[in-house]
Structure formats: C-alpha cells, structure tokens
C-alpha cells in the first residue's frame, strides 16, 4: 500500500501510535482530505484494519457528512490470517487465532455501523497461499450486514 501511494505522490505518514483516539481521528481526517472541498462527488476507498478504533463516533459522523455530500465510500479490511505464513508452533497458532477473532469482531462492528450509512465494508483475502500479495490477488467477501442487522 505504501509503495502504491508513494508511486502516485500520496503522502502517508508513518504513525506507530494508535492509543487513544489518534487513529480514528486520523481516519476521519484522511476521509475529509480525500473528499477535499470538491462539489463533485468522489469515489473514496479506504483500506484499514480499524485497529485502535474503540469509539467510532468521530468516523461515523465524518462518513455521514460525506454521504450527505453524495460521495461514494467503500472500506476494505485486509484479512490478516490469509496474509500470514503457516504458524511455526502451537503458541503462534493460538496467538493468530486470538488476534484473528479480535479482527473479525472489529470488522463486524464497523460493518454494522457503516451498513446503516449505506457504505460497504469488504474483507479482502489472499486468493491462494502461494500467490504474491497484490491487489489483483485479493478477493473480497460480499458486503452484507452484520449478523442480526436488518436492512
């Protein structure tokens, strides 16, 4: 992703800090920046794992504002499990399971919020274990409402 953005002149600052509300404010600001001051609706795709987003109200209000301005938004969440090498030990396998369940929960929570706003969230998985990691080798799961949501 960084190489893709760098090749197109899109600046991505490295921010390892995701405690507190820093990440959600950063995501909201990135969406506002992508939309710019344009009066013409834009198609905006955000690739994120939502890690560190504990209170999505800031992001939700930003998405609501951009949807009111007729921007088309989509979120892609990479499935980390499909991108990892096979675990080398039982401990690594257990850790991957625990972190994977946490990522699935986060994606489901965000999908429920975004679905109500008419914004799809897709989880991208690598097509096959041996394939190089490129956007063309990712397959998106269908953007459906979270379990229990009603259309």
């Amino acid at each position: 992703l960084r190489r893709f953005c760098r090749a197109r002149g899109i600046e991505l600052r490295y921010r390892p800090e995701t405690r507190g509300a820093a990440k959600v404010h950063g995501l909201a600001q990135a969406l506002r920046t992508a939309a710019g001051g344009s009066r013409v609706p834009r198609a905006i795709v955000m690739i994120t794992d939502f890690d560190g987003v504990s209170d999505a109200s800031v992001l939700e209000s930003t998405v609501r504002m951009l949807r009111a301005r007729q921007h088309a938004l989509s979120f892609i969440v990479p499935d980390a499990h499909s991108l990892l090498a096979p675990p080398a030990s039982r401990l690594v396998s257990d850790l991957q399971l625990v972190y994977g369940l946490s990522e699935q929960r986060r994606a489901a929570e965000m999908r429920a919020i975004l679905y109500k706003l008419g914004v799809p969230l897709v989880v991208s998985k690598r097509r096959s274990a041996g394939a190089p990691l490129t956007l063309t080798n990712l397959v998106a799961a269908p953007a459906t409402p979270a379990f229990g949501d009603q259309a």
Side-chain angles (χ1 to χ4, degrees), residues 28-109:
Q29 181 59 45
L31 285 171
R32 288 190 296 271
T33 300
S38 174
R39 292 181 182 224
V40 178
R42 294 182 175 179
I44 302 169
V45 178
M46 171 139 325
I47 302 171
T48 182
D49 60 3
F50 292 109
D51 187 30
V53 176
S54 56
D55 178 18
S57 61
V58 172
L59 186 62
E60 185 177 357
S61 64
T62 301
V63 168
R64 190 179 311 280
M65 176 197 63
L66 295 176
R67 291 291 295 139
R69 294 180 182 173
Q70 304 299 312
H71 293 290
L73 305 170
S74 298
F75 285 82
I76 299 175
V77 176
D79 176 52
H81 183 73
S82 71
L83 304 175
L84 296 173
S89 69
R90 174 71 183 191
L91 175 62
V92 172
S93 176
D94 290 346
L95 288 171
Q96 285 179 358
L97 174 68
V98 170
Y99 284 113
L101 291 172
S102 174
E103 288 175 351
Q104 288 175 5
R105 179 189 49 79
R106 243 187 343 266
E109 289 171 355

